[in-house]
Each structure stands twice: as structure tokens, then as C-alpha cells.
Amino acid sequence: AGRPPLPAVITQLPEHLDRATLGNALLLVDKPKDWSDAELEKTLRWALRTKAVANAGRLEPLASGLMVLCLGAASKFTGTFQELERAYSGTIRLGASTDTYDAYGRETESLPWEHVTGDQVEAAAARFVGECILAPPVFNAAKVGGRRTIVAANGDGTLETRPIHISSFSAELVPGSADVEFSIELGHSGFVRSVAHGFGRSMGTVSHLAALRRERIGPFSV
């Protein structure tokens, strides 16, 4: 028996899609901020008139950027994509931490940040590169359209530290601001929110993730 046909890669929806293509394709979507994965998948199922849509990598409502959706027979590749490295860009805000490690959470602590310099920010980012141990956020939380969903990290509210491999991490302090603009490449199991939470601590303050965009999954990018 020969190899099964590779899925088509769709980056822009044409006016008409034939059933053969919908039955075995990878759909690359640039998700808007404040849309949940479930809302996007539901919309695409309706637009494409198919139920066979599988997500190859979750993306939180706070984030915009690349999602790879597997259509039809291509759903067998979801596990492969979930193992691939991801690249992100975004903003870390110094001076306040939250219970979700991002801007959707409740503020839990505030500390002065004005002592932080641009050189310290660059040096701190360099120290994160390689293997590091970080705890996942206590909660995965979002509030979209007035709805708030909270899921405990381990299902029971407990935390489990895990190693994260960070391939590259660059950061720059925005002059006169508490914001740090960054770009990062890390393994599939890493929470960027955990990196943002630990980033401020490494410089004697606190911080949280204020904005996030996924730029790449493996070979695919927006």
C-alpha cells in the first residue's frame, strides 16, 4: 500500500472549496484577539459546512496569531503539530502580577518597577534561554463577551513545575513605560504566561503578560 496523500495547505479561503480538499487539508488561520478557540472552530465549521475540524495547537483568547486547523483526514497530524516549537511576540508589563499571569486575571501584587533598566531587561531575557523550570499558571482564565471561564492548572488547583526549553528570547524596555516588548521561541509545553510571570521576579519586581501573538508553529508562520 502506498503512502496516504499529504494534506493540502490552505492559507486563504477561495470562493469555493471542493469536498476532496476539505477532506484532507491544513487550514492556517490568523486568530483575532479576544476570540476563543471554540468560537473560531464553530465559525469555521459553519462556514465550511463540515464537522471535521481539529485544532493542532490551542491559543488563548488574550492572544492573536497562527492556528493550524486540521480538516478531515488531516486530523491524524494534530499530535505531530502539538510537539513542534512555537514562536511568539508580545508585551510583558512590569509592576503588577495577576492570578492568571496575564491581563485577564485579578491583580495579586504590585511592586515598584522604575529601577529596571534596558540593560537589565536584555540580561534577564538572556538568562531564560535554555532549560528552565517554571510553574504553569494557577488558572487558565479568560473573559470574552462577558463570559469568564476558569480552569485549574492540574484540574484540582495544584501546581506542578515542569522544564521548558527556550531556544531564543529577546526583550526591550519601552522608554518611559512599564512595558517590555519581546519575542520568544520555546517548546510546545511552555506557557509564555509563566515566562512573563517569572521575568519581573528576576529583576526585583513583578510582572504579567499584557499581549501575545503567535508568529509560528514549526514550519508554518503568519
Side-chain angles (χ1 to χ4, degrees):
R3 286 184 176 182
L6 292 174
V9 178
I10 303 171
T11 58
Q12 185 173 357
L13 289 178
E15 187 174 349
H16 299 289
L17 275 174
D18 59 82
R19 288 191 175 274
T21 302
L22 285 176
N24 188 25
L26 301 176
L27 179 61
L28 309 186
V29 178
D30 188 350
K31 184 185 84 67
K33 179 180 178 292
D34 289 334
W35 276 53
S36 71
D37 288 359
E39 288 170 323
L40 182 62
E41 290 166 30
K42 180 179 179 181
T43 299
L44 287 171
R45 288 189 180 100
W46 176 84
L48 300 175
R49 292 173 173 79
T50 180
K51 294 182 179 180
V53 177
N55 191 343
R58 294 290 170 188
L59 193 57
E60 301 168 47
L62 168 75
S64 65
L66 179 63
M67 286 181 60
V68 178
L69 298 172
C70 302
L71 308 181
S75 61
K76 60 180 175 286
F77 292 105
T78 54
T80 300
F81 282 105
Q82 288 169 358
E83 296 297 316
L84 296 177
E85 184 178 74
R86 280 104 160 93
Y88 298 87
S89 61
T91 304
I92 296 170
R93 186 155 296 148
L94 304 175
S97 62
T98 72
D99 56 357
T100 58
Y101 298 0
D102 64 18
Y104 283 134
R106 177 180 58 85
E107 185 174 313
T108 56
E109 187 177 5
S110 62
L111 286 175
W113 59 270
E114 290 82 1
H115 64 279
V116 176
T117 67
D119 288 343
Q120 287 177 315
V121 164
E122 292 179 14
R127 289 195 296 270
F128 274 81
V129 175
E131 197 93 345
C132 60
I133 304 295
L134 294 170
V138 179
F139 295 109
N140 294 326
K143 188 171 184 180
V144 181
R147 302 190 309 277
R148 184 174 178 85
T149 303
I150 299 179
V151 180
N154 286 345
D156 59 2
T158 62
L159 288 176
E160 178 184 349
T161 58
R162 62 183 68 175
I164 297 174
H165 182 75
I166 298 177
S167 302
S168 69
F169 186 18
S170 61
E172 182 178 352
L173 182 65
V174 177
S177 166
D179 287 350
V180 173
E181 303 293 339
F182 72 91
S183 61
I184 191 170
E185 296 180 354
L186 73 168
H188 71 283
S189 63
F191 282 99
V192 181
R193 283 183 291 156
S194 295
V195 176
H197 177 75
F199 192 70
R201 297 280 182 190
S202 71
M203 297 180 293
T205 185
V206 289
S207 56
H208 66 274
L209 184 64
L212 185 67
R213 178 169 177 78
R214 185 156 66 196
E215 306 285 354
R216 178 175 61 82
I217 300 177
F220 298 116
S221 59
V222 287

